[in-house]
Amino acid sequence: MKLNVSIPAAFTNGKDEPVPNKVRGQDVAIAAYNTVHTHEAGVKALAARMAISPNTLAHKVNPQNGTHHLTLREAVEMQYQSGNFAILHAMADELGHTCTLATPAQHEGNPVDTLMHLQMEFADFVRSLADAVRGGEGAVTGNQMRRAEHHAQETVAAVGHALALLRARMRAVPAA
């Protein structure tokens, strides 16, 4: 019999031992900065959607600013309004977790489309892995790692959708 035990990184080393190297994604503060400054409609539009001054928002996400701070509620609202969930993924990565889209109800729609979507997501995942390791001896870049992680999560979400499809098509339990 095999046993697997997961120990969070914070508890794996003694106080004098270094934490092992880990490939990390984007820093949370940088993710917040990029969410604001790469928003397609601009900083002013995102700030207006959040009901905050554009100047204040820019100061709150500036990693060099020590006086203005982004609250958790503002970070959630910013991601909701922008559609960019990089902060969520950066936080999860920093803590050794991943994020997966919630599985919507699958009681409507074409079952074949759901299965085709699953296969297409898996193909994108395999392509991202192949692209990262193709070309020989070079190290995998952070962008390649993030792309593979993204497609892995999309594949997991597509599996969840396929399972929800099956659940929606289950026969009702006969009454006793």
Side-chain angles (χ1 to χ4, degrees), residues 36-146:
V36 170
H37 291 284
T38 62
H39 183 58
E40 59 190 26
V43 177
K44 287 182 181 180
L46 181 58
R49 293 180 119 201
M50 293 176 62
I52 189 172
S53 157
N55 230 8
T56 302
L57 181 59
H59 286 305
K60 285 184 175 228
V61 298
N62 181 349
Q64 271 71 49
N65 189 325
T67 58
H68 292 74
H69 303 286
L70 190 68
T71 68
L72 290 174
R73 295 247 180 247
E74 289 169 335
V76 169
E77 184 67 16
M78 181 173 29
Q79 291 174 97
Y80 178 78
Q81 294 297 339
S82 69
N84 180 341
F85 305 104
I87 299 169
L88 173 68
H89 289 281
M91 289 176 80
D93 181 64
E94 189 68 26
L95 298 170
H97 293 268
T98 58
C99 301
T100 305
L101 291 171
T103 305
Q106 295 289 316
H107 61 280
E108 296 178 7
N110 187 339
V112 174
D113 287 343
T114 301
L115 298 175
M116 286 180 7
H117 180 71
L118 171 61
Q119 287 301 316
M120 290 176 2
E121 290 297 346
F122 184 69
D124 287 343
F125 173 58
V126 171
R127 189 177 306 113
S128 69
L129 295 176
D131 289 346
V133 298
R134 184 179 289 138
E137 321 250 337
V140 174
T141 67
N143 283 340
Q144 290 170 324
M145 189 67 206
R146 280 188 288 280

